[in-house]
Amino acid sequence: KENINMGKLSTFIINGAPMSGKNTFVRQLQKEFPDQVVNFSTIDSVKELYKVAGWNGKKDAESRKVLSDMKDYLTKKFDLPFLEVQSKISETLKTASNSEKDMILFIHVREPQEIDRLKKAHPEIVTIQVIRNCIKDLPASNHADANINDYQYDITVYNNGTLKDLRNRALLAMPPSIPLDIILEKLH
């Protein structure tokens, strides 16, 4: 039986300096649309491998450098992060297709060349940069963190206010498939 009311998938690449509020941005949307927002990072499987090797999960300059180097290796040798993103997009699209609800997928990607590659494969992807002025000038321990500003993002979200401000900015960045009346209702 064909589902004529299939949900749509809106995909965003989200980036920003460490501690700029990328995950907080997505979590605010997950609170408002719990069954519709998926949060995925190209570094997730790299973190899992690092934990197997004994990493405690704490992000500091050294661990960020190791994670970046591991991701570079897995990209060069196996193209793992890109293949995982492709799989996550397919999986989330299938979920949307089997539902009447629209799905929103956020993919965390740091490297401008990886963002370009994903945009070429999926031109409908919208890019978001989250900027938090108080931390934007922190020194980067790796090239992925150092090069986040080397890309022209579609949307820039400034996270310089309260958590409610960030929540409202996240809601306003929602795709057109989410009815405006629902977004406006949640803004209050």
Side-chain angles (χ1 to χ4, degrees), residues 40-168:
F40 178 77
S41 176
T42 58
I43 203 81
D44 286 346
S45 62
V46 178
K47 286 180 185 176
E48 292 306 312
L49 288 170
Y50 196 11
K51 285 178 185 175
V52 169
W55 179 50
N56 64 5
K58 182 178 179 240
K59 286 187 186 175
D60 55 23
E62 181 184 0
S63 65
R64 286 182 183 281
K65 171 83 169 99
V66 171
L67 287 165
S68 177
D69 291 346
M70 288 175 67
K71 182 180 176 195
D72 288 346
Y73 176 79
L74 292 169
T75 297
K76 183 178 177 182
K77 191 77 173 169
F78 306 107
D79 205 17
L80 183 65
F82 184 81
L83 294 174
E84 286 181 322
V85 168
Q86 296 287 69
S87 177
K88 183 56 83 172
I89 290 171
S90 294
E91 172 189 317
T92 311
L93 182 58
K94 184 176 179 181
T95 300
S97 296
N98 291 330
S99 169
E100 292 183 6
K101 291 184 177 182
D102 293 339
M103 297 295 295
I104 302 153
L105 173 60
F106 286 92
I107 305 166
H108 297 252
V109 184
R110 290 292 175 99
E111 303 83 358
Q113 70 276 11
E114 291 294 313
I115 296 171
D116 275 337
R117 189 170 174 212
L118 285 165
K119 285 280 287 185
K120 284 180 180 136
H122 304 277
E124 73 284 358
I125 288 177
V126 175
T127 58
I128 299 174
Q129 182 180 25
V130 178
I131 295 175
R132 190 170 176 191
N133 289 338
C134 65
I135 56 96
K136 73 177 184 181
D137 293 327
L138 291 177
S141 64
N142 61 78
H143 74 89
D145 288 344
N147 297 329
I148 57 170
N149 293 318
D150 295 346
Y151 191 84
Q152 185 67 41
Y153 298 90
D154 300 314
I155 298 171
T156 300
V157 173
Y158 292 92
N159 179 21
N160 297 315
T162 65
L163 187 59
K164 185 175 181 182
D165 293 335
L166 181 61
R167 176 187 157 274
N168 289 342

